[in-house]
């Protein structure tokens, strides 16, 4: 009886260890034309999300940060291939505002996917005049 109880306890603990295994973390890598987008010019960037070196279908939330706080909502995008590419337009309401010139900003991307721990990355930028 004791032996059976001990075996049951060992199997239970082994199962709990496997069930409690850590989820893989998403790796987020950002690239862009430069760290110095020019005011009134288009500027492109790309976000790649992987886990264990393979692309992951996920949701990517993009924001513009200033001093660690969100100052602009870029958008939330669902991607099937782990890659989001976008161009910030030269003029209009979606362009960099003139007040952003010289300010230390960070384009921040946070990625989430079921079965994975969230990942994030930032791309430091400082908008410059022509």
């Amino acid at each position: 009886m004791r032996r059976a109880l001990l075996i049951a306890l060992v199997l239970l603990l082994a199962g709990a260890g496997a069930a409690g295994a850590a989820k893989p973390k998403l790796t987020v890598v950002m690239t862009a034309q430069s760290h110095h987008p020019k005011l009134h010019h288009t500027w492109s960037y790309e976000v790649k999300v992987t886990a264990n070196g393979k692309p992951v279908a996920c949701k990517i939330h993009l924001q513009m940060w200033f001093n660690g706080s969100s100052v602009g909502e870029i958008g939330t995008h669902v991607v099937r291939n782990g890659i989001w590419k976008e161009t910030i337009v030269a003029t209009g309401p979606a362009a960099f505002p003139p007040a952003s010139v010289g300010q230390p900003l960070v384009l921040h991307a946070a990625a989430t996917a079921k079965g994975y721990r969230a990942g994030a990355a930032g791309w430091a930028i400082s908008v410059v005049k022509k």
Side-chain angles (χ1 to χ4, degrees):
M1 179 71 175
R2 272 188 173 187
R3 185 173 183 185
L5 187 57
L6 182 60
I7 291 172
L9 181 60
V10 168
L11 291 174
L12 179 65
L13 290 175
K23 297 176 184 178
K25 185 173 181 180
L26 295 174
T27 300
V28 181
V29 176
M30 297 181 74
T31 56
Q33 280 178 261
S34 73
H35 288 280
H36 302 287
K38 294 179 184 175
L39 189 64
H40 304 302
H41 286 77
T42 59
W43 182 74
S44 299
Y45 68 91
E46 179 178 278
V47 180
K48 290 184 180 180
V49 181
T50 60
N52 300 321
K54 296 181 181 178
V56 175
C58 62
K59 185 187 321 183
I60 301 172
H61 182 210
L62 292 147
Q63 296 177 309
M64 196 62 69
W65 283 8
F66 176 73
N67 284 337
S69 297
S70 175
V71 294
E73 203 54 46
I74 305 297
T76 301
H77 310 283
V78 176
V79 296
R80 291 202 268 185
N81 61 355
I83 298 173
W84 175 255
K85 295 179 184 184
E86 186 171 32
T87 299
I88 306 270
V89 296
T91 58
F96 288 108
S100 67
V101 172
Q103 301 300 323
L105 302 171
V106 175
L107 176 61
H108 183 265
T112 55
K114 188 174 180 178
Y116 295 90
R117 289 184 293 142
W123 186 268
I125 63 170
S126 180
V127 179
V128 296
K129 288 185 178 182
K130 299 179 186 183

